[in-house]
Amino acid sequence: MAVGGSASRRAQEARRQERLLREQWQAARQQARRWEAADEGERRVAAQLLVLTARGWRLLVDRRWPGTRAANVDMLLVGPGGVFVLDVKNWRSAPEISQGRLRAGGEARDEHAAKLLAVTKAAESAVASLGMSPVAVQPLMVFAGHRVDAALGRIRLLGEHEVGPALLSERLRLPAASVRAIADLLERVFPEYEGSAVPQPQPQPQPQPLPPSPAQPQEDLSDGLFDLDGLREAALDETLRAPIEQWMTFLGPDQVALVRRNWAGPARISGPAGTGKTVVGLHRAAHLAQRTTGRLLYVTFANNLPRVQATFLKTMSPAVADRVDFRSLHSWAQEFLQDRGVPVRLHGDKAETAFSLAWKHVGRDSRLTEIDPAPGYWKEEIDHVIKGRGITSFEEYATVIRRRRRASLRRVHRQAVWALYEAYEALRAERGVHDFNDVLSLALAEARRRTGQHRYAAVIVDEVQDLTLVGVRLLHALVGDAPNGLLLVGDGQQAVYPGGFRLSEAGIDIRGDRGQVLRTNYRNSKEILDTALAVVAEDSFEDIDGLRTPGRREVDLTYHDGQVIRVARPTPAEHDQALLEALHGLPPAARADSAVLCPSMRAIGRYQRLLERAGISVCLLEHYDGRPVDAVKLGSYHRAKGLEFKRVYLPEYDATLTDSSRAPDTEASETGRERDELSRSRLFVAMTRARDVLWLGSVDR
Ligand SMILES: Nc1ncnc2c1ncn2[C@@H]1O[C@H](COP(=O)(O)OP(=O)(O)OP(=O)(O)O)[C@@H](O)[C@H]1O
């Protein structure tokens, strides 16, 4: 479309909105004047809000607060932007916020904020019965006669001129039917006082676009009491705002209950892929941020996921988004050490060199090669078993249960591993560098040294199965067993790293209702989920609570179409051509919601070149932050963890599966079986990222 065409259409829309708003504004002013129960300040606020009622909002004025004898609620407003609980103030002095306290005219006014928060809580409880998350209910204090735009915790403070435009600028959360259902419910829960009704205009049908008319002279609608300007600006942008995702406002009943629950100590949410664990974690973060004054830490193992999750929270609950730190565990730990003045020199490459030398000196001619000749297996043993569990003596290592490690090691083998470990540590220390595990161990020692001095009110850990035991101990040390302090979210079936641990080994005791399981998959279609589950059907797994669970799990599905497309070609070139054809066949907008996922860095490099040469824009997952970009996403199975896409393409998806992996009864070494199992888990994770289409490419050699 020509640029000139779209600019003229936009100007036409602007004129239409202007005309509509003027009519609505005239009507609102008349109605506000007729509202006799209110004083002048309230009438001016009402006029701003009554304009919204002509644009699909419902305004409930002067309602009784259930469960109290005399207390009232000034206004409840329900509209496309969510639910707002309003307290209108006609104070002579402007409000001031200082050190988290509300003041006016030199006096403390905290009780007004406390009352508004209590009413908001009552409104949250009411709408929870409709599946609405508490994060979509927002308290507002509106000041007649003042210009204000500030925040006091979760309460937004707005002046009479600011309130209308601010509400009109909210992202679209509720469709018209939900607005009606929620307003009807609130009308019942917060009954009307006698004679308090404000006459409400019926939403007017939106007029059809008119042909462009010559510019009309601007009628001055401002009569000293009322002011249209701010609303005009916000209304012009209204049509451009995209609605936010449904799950950012409405949850399943089991999810809402978890978001709002009070836990007396550490808690855990588990459940199969796609059951909304992260969604609950994000709503919980927003909910806790609304209820506390401290900061929250939301941690995952992966580097790119925190950026995506931060973007989601900002969209979902902008008022509290800056109170939650989204971090990957290692980057957070490094910063923590830096803040505490603990020297740390993380150098992955030099640490790798130290290991290679140690392998050369004491590994490759040792008894370890009887079990597995590849140094990688023994590097994992050091990383995930010895250092990952914080083991510092041979006596401890000699008897430790090596969770999720298949090869059984006799004492001589453990001695050989220990010799390798000691050589590695000596060579690493000689180079004066730390590895990733050292960073966590140092941070744990520091966190334990100064307990009670940590700045987090709560810590939420997502994809907890990816962490090591030391990592989990570290996060536990930040909040201890405080009520609502630690929440662990994850699924043992999606473990993509070797080794493992049990929560009891981290000193975390999850009792009774503090261990919760979600069971409804909201993401995948049946066909896609069945295909993914078939890969891990024979792999039972032990989760961090120590329970063994079969690979094929019972999951409830939400009705949802989707398909698996299998493409087999005789040569890699023909296979790649089929992938390109599939991507070229998508409308440009659909590419943005598609991902090509690969098992290795080499494959990523290869497919990046292939796609770019074919003129397909690519966004690497390591640069993706959850905001829409007009490009196909490309990344590893690991980096896709926790994410989802409408279409997922897995080129040569079966190349990492060995024969024993395809047919698990086939003969394979213990370490080979362990590797195969991990490959299947990773493939399972990649497949379950697909919502609507899963494309499986293979080469029939
Ligand atoms: N209540 C809900 N209503 C509608 N959609 C939902 C709801 N809860 C979750 N979803 C959808 O399901 C998807 C999966 O949710 P989420 O990523 O939280 O699952 P998960 O259990 O963390 O998945 P995984 O373990 O596979 O990473 C969400 O992105 C969202 O699209």
Side-chain angles (χ1 to χ4, degrees):
M1 185 195 302
V3 174
S6 105
S8 109
R9 198 166 295 185
R10 170 141 169 75
Q12 196 176 329
E13 173 62 19
R15 281 193 292 274
R16 187 181 79 84
Q17 285 291 338
E18 171 86 32
R19 254 195 315 276
L20 182 61
L21 189 61
R22 277 168 180 277
E23 288 161 20
Q24 291 166 346
W25 180 243
Q26 297 273 24
R29 286 198 306 173
Q30 299 302 329
Q31 278 148 14
R33 287 209 179 91
R34 292 207 302 273
W35 183 26
E36 284 157 10
D39 59 35
E40 202 164 280
E42 280 177 320
R43 276 205 291 269
R44 289 197 305 262
V45 172
Q48 288 268 337
L49 302 178
L50 281 166
V51 172
L52 303 190
T53 62
R55 306 177 80 89
W57 292 66
R58 286 262 296 271
L59 178 64
L60 316 180
V61 175
D62 204 15
R63 316 298 292 192
R64 247 182 296 146
W65 180 1
T68 64
R69 269 173 178 274
N72 77 315
V73 180
D74 282 357
M75 295 181 191
L76 294 163
L77 191 62
V78 186
V83 174
F84 296 83
V85 182
L86 273 72
D87 190 6
V88 182
K89 298 294 182 203
N90 216 343
W91 294 351
R92 191 169 308 169
S93 311
E96 298 153 28
I97 294 164
S98 134
Q99 295 174 334
R101 313 278 306 264
L102 178 63
R103 301 177 70 80
E107 285 173 25
R109 304 279 175 105
D110 293 321
E111 72 279 11
H112 296 268
K115 181 191 157 201
L116 177 58
L117 287 175
V119 186
T120 305
K121 214 165 161 183
E124 282 171 8
S125 300
V127 298
S129 62
L130 297 177
M132 192 166 179
S133 166
V135 304
V137 182
Q138 297 171 57
L140 280 185
M141 237 179 218
V142 184
F143 295 88
H146 298 287
R147 287 205 175 265
V148 187
D149 190 349
L152 172 68
R154 70 178 294 204
I155 302 178
R156 190 145 178 217
L157 281 63
L158 295 167
E160 66 181 48
H161 298 286
E162 288 78 17
V163 64
L167 294 173
L168 216 48
S169 307
E170 285 282 328
R171 295 281 297 260
L172 306 178
R173 251 181 209 287
L174 303 178
S178 302
V179 171
R180 270 197 303 280
I182 292 165
D184 288 350
L185 175 83
L186 289 175
E187 244 168 10
R188 287 196 299 278
V189 175
F190 294 86
E192 199 178 345
Y193 276 114
E194 285 290 300
S196 65
V198 172
Q200 302 222 7
Q202 291 303 311
Q204 297 168 3
Q206 302 274 309
Q208 292 303 305
L210 296 172
S213 56
Q216 292 164 359
Q218 292 280 308
E219 180 199 350
D220 182 13
L221 281 174
S222 152
D223 61 4
L225 279 185
F226 301 104
D227 173 6
L228 173 68
D229 288 347
L231 283 170
R232 183 189 293 133
E233 290 305 308
L236 287 183
D237 286 337
E238 194 184 20
T239 46
L240 301 176
R241 289 194 311 275
I244 64 174
E245 303 249 19
Q246 141 102 4
W247 61 261
M248 293 191 176
T249 303
F250 287 100
L251 300 171
D254 48 347
Q255 293 174 311
V256 187
L258 295 185
V259 171
R260 302 179 71 226
R261 183 159 283 174
N262 259 317
W263 277 304
R268 167 163 193 249
I269 297 175
S270 60
T275 50
K277 299 181 294 296
T278 298
V279 163
V280 170
L282 290 172
H283 281 264
R284 176 94 183 152
H287 179 67
L288 291 178
Q290 288 172 344
R291 271 172 176 57
T292 55
T293 49
R295 298 197 67 74
L296 276 88
L297 179 61
Y298 196 109
V299 191
T300 58
F301 183 81
N303 275 325
N304 57 325
L305 204 47
R307 279 199 304 273
V308 177
Q309 291 168 332
T311 302
F312 286 163
L313 190 75
K314 212 167 186 157
T315 311
M316 188 171 103
S317 191
V320 295
D322 62 354
R323 298 253 317 287
V324 185
D325 293 341
F326 286 90
R327 302 299 304 271
S328 74
L329 179 60
H330 287 96
S331 77
W332 177 82
Q334 268 180 280
E335 197 179 284
F336 172 73
L337 289 169
Q338 211 166 24
D339 286 352
R340 300 292 179 99
V342 179
V344 56
R345 239 189 112 208
L346 177 65
H347 203 304
D349 288 348
K350 287 193 178 170
E352 281 290 335
T353 309
F355 178 79
S356 300
L357 285 174
W359 177 252
K360 205 165 122 192
H361 295 162
V362 299
R364 75 178 174 196
D365 298 321
S366 72
R367 307 264 321 245
L368 296 180
T369 51
E370 293 166 6
I371 292 173
D372 197 309
Y377 189 83
W378 305 110
K379 176 81 168 68
E380 286 169 4
E381 182 77 9
I382 291 173
D383 282 346
H384 294 274
V385 183
I386 298 181
K387 296 186 81 167
R389 297 178 66 101
I391 292 175
T392 51
S393 72
F394 176 68
E395 285 63 44
E396 205 183 336
Y397 178 60
T399 54
V400 74
I401 298 172
R402 301 162 54 252
R403 303 203 182 282
R404 295 184 49 245
R405 295 293 269 173
R406 276 189 176 269
S408 38
L409 302 186
R410 285 186 289 122
R411 193 175 171 85
V412 283
H413 298 123
R414 293 197 191 217
Q415 279 165 337
V417 174
W418 197 257
L420 179 64
Y421 160 71
E422 286 189 323
Y424 165 61
E425 285 295 275
L427 287 159
R428 182 186 60 72
E430 219 171 75
R431 281 159 179 72
V433 295
H434 293 116
D435 62 20
F436 285 100
N437 278 303
D438 296 323
V439 173
L440 299 189
S441 300
L442 288 168
L444 174 59
E446 180 61 22
R448 284 184 171 163
R449 205 164 67 80
R450 293 200 238 165
T451 43
Q453 286 185 25
H454 308 306
R455 56 193 181 124
Y456 289 111
V459 174
I460 298 176
V461 189
D462 205 349
E463 307 281 352
V464 63
Q465 72 281 353
D466 291 343
L467 267 52
T468 58
L469 186 59
V470 171
V472 174
R473 281 181 181 148
L474 165 60
L475 295 167
H476 184 212
L478 298 183
V479 281
D481 292 335
N484 298 320
L486 183 66
L487 175 61
L488 305 168
V489 179
D491 171 26
Q493 189 167 35
Q494 297 180 63
V496 295
Y497 298 98
F501 61 88
R502 282 188 184 171
L503 282 178
S504 54
E505 294 163 340
I508 298 173
D509 183 15
I510 304 278
R511 287 199 200 160
D513 78 339
R514 289 194 268 127
Q516 294 283 336
V517 186
L518 292 171
R519 299 187 194 280
T520 305
N521 178 307
Y522 290 94
R523 182 189 295 136
N524 313 113
S525 73
K526 179 167 170 28
E527 194 183 342
I528 293 175
L529 193 62
D530 283 349
T531 304
L533 281 170
V535 174
V536 291
E538 306 300 322
D539 299 331
S540 69
F541 63 95
E542 187 190 296
D543 215 331
I544 55 177
D545 51 11
L547 284 181
R548 193 148 266 288
T549 310
R552 194 181 282 285
R553 298 154 91 184
E554 287 300 314
V555 186
D556 298 330
L557 286 161
T558 46
Y559 176 76
H560 171 98
D561 270 340
Q563 62 177 143
V564 177
I565 300 172
R566 293 178 189 271
V567 173
R569 295 286 183 273
T571 64
E574 285 164 284
H575 165 277
D576 290 356
Q577 190 52 37
L579 175 66
L580 290 179
E581 278 163 17
L583 293 172
H584 273 307
L586 293 175
R591 289 198 196 151
D593 216 347
S594 306
V596 175
L597 304 179
C598 308
S600 68
M601 296 311 289
R602 237 180 72 204
I604 292 173
R606 180 173 144 220
Y607 284 102
Q608 184 173 7
R609 284 189 296 278
L610 182 81
L611 267 56
E612 286 178 349
R613 267 193 227 127
I616 297 171
S617 320
V618 166
C619 168
L620 291 176
L621 282 185
E622 61 214 73
H623 302 143
Y624 175 57
D625 69 359
R627 282 180 294 191
V629 280
D630 197 6
V632 171
K633 313 294 173 301
L634 174 67
S636 66
Y637 293 178
H638 283 88
R639 280 221 194 261
K641 288 212 80 178
L643 301 175
E644 69 180 22
F645 307 92
K646 276 198 177 134
R647 288 162 221 84
V648 168
Y649 297 80
L650 303 183
E652 296 206 46
Y653 81 98
D654 52 356
T656 50
L657 301 181
T658 60
D659 285 343
S660 66
S661 187
R662 289 190 189 92
D665 293 337
T666 327
E667 201 50 39
S669 68
E670 287 174 315
T671 54
R673 288 220 309 277
E674 188 182 322
R675 270 194 282 270
D676 290 345
E677 216 171 285
L678 267 181
S679 295
R680 289 191 294 267
S681 294
R682 289 168 186 161
L683 180 58
F684 172 77
V685 168
M687 287 178 162
T688 52
R689 302 307 95 198
R691 271 159 71 171
D692 300 343
V693 176
L694 174 62
W695 187 96
L696 299 175
S698 56
V699 178
D700 272 351
R701 289 167 211 272

